[in-house]
Amino acid sequence: MSRRRGIMSDRLKFELAKELGVADIVAREGDFGSVSSRDCGNLVRLAIQRAENGLVQG
């Protein structure tokens, strides 16, 4: 079975990582594999909040 491509762009994921303070880990390692599960969950939560705010605003 093939892997599904992500919905979020890499640019958006890195922007969210900057907000949460884990961008240095991503930049150093080159991907999100070394980011803790908790921080990844926080990234998802922040992305959902942004999407919901975007729906409310327009």
Side-chain angles (χ1 to χ4, degrees):
M1 179 183 284
S2 66
R3 291 183 73 165
R4 253 182 358 164
R5 294 190 60 129
I7 295 172
M8 290 193 298
S9 69
D10 288 337
R11 192 182 98 221
L12 175 60
K13 286 190 272 188
F14 194 73
E15 184 179 320
L16 296 172
K18 281 185 193 177
E19 281 188 42
L20 293 174
V22 296
D24 58 328
I25 297 170
V26 176
R28 184 176 58 239
E29 299 296 326
D31 65 356
F32 285 84
S34 296
V35 177
S36 71
S37 297
R38 178 175 292 206
D39 287 333
C40 286
N42 289 334
L43 287 168
V44 171
R45 183 178 298 123
L46 185 57
I48 291 169
Q49 286 175 348
R50 279 195 176 185
E52 288 174 345
N53 288 342
L55 289 174
V56 169
Q57 292 176 354

